[in-house]
Amino acid sequence: MRMSESKMAAAAGVSFFIRKKKPSEGRGRKRKADDGEDKVRKKFSPKLNEEISSDSETECSIGRKKKVAEVLEIEETAQEKKLRLAKLYLEQLRQEEEEKAEEEQFESDLIGGRLEEEVLEQKGKLKRLLAKDYLPPDVSEIRLLRGHQLPITCLVLSPDDKYIFSASKDCSIIKWDVTSGKKVHTIHGGRKGTEDRHVGHTMHILSMAISSDAKYLATGDRNKLILIWDPASCQHLYTFKGHKDAVSGLSFRKGTHQLYSASHDRSVKVWNVDQNAYIETLSSIDCIQLVNEEYMISGADDGSLALWTVTKKKPLVTVRTTHGIRGDPGIQQPNWITSVAALLNSDLIASGSQNSKIRLWKCGEGFKRLEPLFDIPMVGFVNCLKFSSSGDFLVAGVGQEHRLGRWWRLKEAKNGIYIIPLKKTETKQQSGDSK
């Protein structure tokens, strides 16, 4: 019975132990029993050893891990735990700061880009590459707005692109709704000679401008008048008088209510629309040429030669009657400057007139002086001048008449193009070659 139980226990993979005998039992029975147990062990020892060894290793491995974890947990003091958690917290803060810095840099780049665009726009140098994104329009979607009786002469869009203001040779002004294409308001034109009693234009409207805040609309006509309107109500506000000929151009300075008007009287006037006041008249110039990116030279019909910087409204230096005077005593007038030229990125300037000479000039130190160098004989109206890029020669276009009109004629002049070689001293030539 004992043997069968042992076999069953061994087959079930459960270890068993040898029950201790009582002292009263004989040695014979003890030896006999021991011999039987030895046989059982020999018979089942491989299976018992295998199963017992496998179970022991699994239990021991799990036990070791538990003990290691318990030891580690026990060994980490409260101070060490605080340090570990502090490190984790600091790492989390570091990651958050990096993400915040990236976001701030991104926003900074966007703002910087916008500011750069604004600066370029104010300087008139902004170039946005948008043309590549456009496609030809669908012809069927093009709309025609009809309302004027005669040809359109000028128009402007409101700053919000919601309205169009147009003017015509019929002397009328029409305000249009862009979305619907319908008329919002019409300012009818009047007949010539009714200026005193008609509110509006009585001659062809040639120019138009609207302020950047849409507070004022300005229109100019052949009658030398500038009319100021309220774009919202189309009510007349002021009338500016001062030009001696047709007002051919109008423009508001961006972000202000300062209005510039150009006229066939060859002047540009500046007006303060807020105060309904005239500010100043700028000289009309006949010709202008860049010296470099910062400076330019100009000539006018009053005989003056002026050097400008692009950052200021007034010239740095002006030389009067640069080509002498003409006419009888008492009715003398300066010879007009008909052309100017500059050798790019240098201090060499040339000016032309109708007084039988081309004059070359040197820009003094700091571009604050104009010093005459020498004259080149040339009969006729010097209507244009150009330096070669190397500075080795000068080209002049000469005619018997002024390029803008036929006020008088120089019969002795020959219409043609002149190529004028420019010599240099040996020292300057060698210095230039060495460079």
Side-chain angles (χ1 to χ4, degrees):
M1 181 68 180
R2 184 181 301 166
M3 291 296 293
S4 62
E5 291 176 352
S6 298
K7 289 179 181 179
M8 291 175 65
V14 180
S15 61
F16 64 91
F17 63 93
I18 305 298
R19 183 175 60 84
K20 292 183 179 181
K21 303 298 185 288
K22 295 181 180 180
S24 60
E25 293 180 348
R27 291 181 179 178
R29 292 181 62 185
K30 181 177 180 181
R31 181 180 296 278
K32 188 176 180 179
D34 291 341
D35 292 340
E37 291 171 354
D38 290 339
K39 290 179 180 180
V40 174
R41 287 193 185 96
K42 289 179 181 179
K43 184 175 182 178
F44 295 102
S45 59
K47 185 179 290 186
L48 290 171
N49 290 337
E50 180 182 354
E51 292 176 356
I52 292 171
S53 175
S54 176
D55 292 343
S56 298
E57 287 177 0
T58 301
E59 292 174 0
C60 290
S61 176
I62 295 172
R64 285 194 193 97
K65 291 180 179 178
K66 289 182 179 179
K67 287 182 179 180
V68 169
E70 291 173 357
V71 169
L72 289 175
E73 187 175 354
I74 294 172
E75 289 180 352
E76 184 181 42
T77 64
Q79 185 65 27
E80 290 172 338
K81 185 175 182 179
K82 289 181 179 179
L83 181 61
R84 178 172 58 82
L85 294 176
K87 289 181 178 179
L88 291 174
Y89 179 66
L90 290 175
E91 177 64 20
Q92 184 179 0
L93 287 179
R94 186 185 67 79
Q95 293 178 356
E96 291 177 354
E97 287 297 323
E98 288 181 354
E99 293 175 356
K100 183 179 179 181
E102 290 178 358
E103 292 177 357
E104 290 177 349
Q105 183 62 41
F106 179 71
E107 292 178 355
S108 176
D109 292 341
L110 287 178
I111 294 172
R114 293 192 195 103
L115 291 175
E116 183 179 1
E117 284 193 356
E118 290 178 2
V119 171
L120 290 173
E121 186 175 6
Q122 290 174 359
K123 291 182 177 180
K125 297 182 179 180
L126 179 62
K127 296 181 179 178
R128 299 184 216 178
L129 304 179
L130 302 178
K132 64 182 186 302
D133 300 328
Y134 284 81
L135 296 173
D138 186 343
V139 177
S140 64
E141 295 179 354
I142 298 176
R143 296 181 296 163
L144 174 62
L145 308 182
R146 303 191 66 175
H148 289 289
Q149 302 300 315
L150 295 176
I152 310 297
T153 55
C154 51
L155 61 81
V156 295
L157 264 171
S158 63
D160 58 7
D161 292 337
K162 291 183 178 180
Y163 302 101
I164 298 171
F165 295 86
S166 62
S168 167
K169 286 186 176 181
D170 61 16
C171 308
S172 68
I173 300 170
I174 298 179
K175 180 179 180 180
W176 308 82
D177 182 275
V178 173
T179 303
S180 66
K182 296 181 178 180
K183 297 179 186 177
V184 177
H185 195 96
T186 300
I187 303 173
H188 296 283
R191 293 182 180 181
K192 184 178 180 180
T194 62
E195 294 84 4
D196 294 338
R197 58 183 182 275
H198 177 75
V199 179
H201 293 279
T202 60
M203 292 190 70
H204 297 177
I205 303 171
L206 301 180
S207 54
M208 181 180 289
I210 190 169
S211 61
S212 55
D213 61 357
K215 186 176 180 180
Y216 297 111
L217 175 71
T219 53
D221 65 15
R222 282 191 176 276
N223 206 23
K224 315 169 191 176
L225 300 177
I226 301 172
L227 274 61
I228 306 298
W229 310 84
D230 176 3
S233 64
C234 293
Q235 296 299 308
H236 176 252
L237 301 176
Y238 317 120
T239 297
F240 292 155
K241 299 178 181 180
H243 281 294
K244 299 178 181 179
D245 207 334
V247 180
S248 56
L250 289 169
S251 178
F252 278 96
R253 186 177 181 183
K254 187 176 181 181
T256 73
H257 295 149
Q258 195 170 79
L259 177 67
Y260 292 81
S261 61
S263 170
H264 290 174
D265 64 12
R266 303 171 65 81
S267 71
V268 176
K269 293 186 182 294
V270 187
W271 314 82
N272 187 320
V273 180
D274 276 330
Q275 299 178 8
N276 187 19
Y278 159 78
I279 298 177
E280 63 177 333
T281 298
L282 305 177
S283 299
S284 178
I285 57 177
D286 284 343
C287 45
I288 192 166
Q289 177 69 47
L290 284 174
V291 178
N292 52 34
E293 293 297 322
E294 188 177 358
Y295 298 98
M296 54 189 174
I297 191 77
S298 71
D301 60 5
D302 63 357
S304 63
L305 186 69
L307 189 62
W308 308 72
T309 177
V310 296
T311 59
K312 293 183 179 180
K313 293 173 60 177
K314 294 184 178 181
L316 297 175
V317 59
T318 301
V319 180
R320 306 290 180 185
T321 60
T322 53
H323 284 260
I325 58 177
R326 59 181 171 82
D328 297 329
I331 57 172
Q332 293 177 332
Q333 294 182 350
N335 286 313
W336 298 355
I337 294 183
T338 54
S339 58
V340 292
L343 180 57
L344 191 61
N345 297 322
S346 79
D347 60 351
L348 185 61
I349 304 294
S351 63
S353 183
Q354 80 275 14
N355 67 325
S356 302
K357 64 181 66 173
I358 297 171
R359 177 161 289 181
L360 268 63
W361 305 79
K362 174 186 175 182
C363 295
E365 183 180 356
F367 285 81
K368 294 181 179 180
R369 293 197 309 274
L370 284 171
E371 304 169 0
L373 292 176
F374 53 84
D375 295 338
I376 301 173
M378 187 63 57
V379 178
F381 285 88
V382 183
N383 286 325
C384 52
L385 286 169
K386 289 292 179 183
F387 280 101
S388 66
S389 59
S390 63
D392 291 336
F393 60 90
L394 177 67
V395 180
V398 179
Q400 293 181 335
E401 300 173 351
H402 192 283
R403 62 187 178 89
L404 298 178
R406 305 185 65 180
W407 297 284
W408 65 93
R409 187 179 182 192
L410 300 176
K411 295 181 180 180
E412 65 275 20
K414 294 181 179 180
N415 298 320
I417 296 173
Y418 291 80
I419 299 176
I420 307 166
L422 297 176
K423 295 182 179 180
K424 302 176 184 177
T425 63
E426 292 296 327
T427 304
K428 291 182 180 179
Q429 182 70 48
Q430 292 175 0
S431 175
D433 294 341
S434 64
K435 291 181 182 178

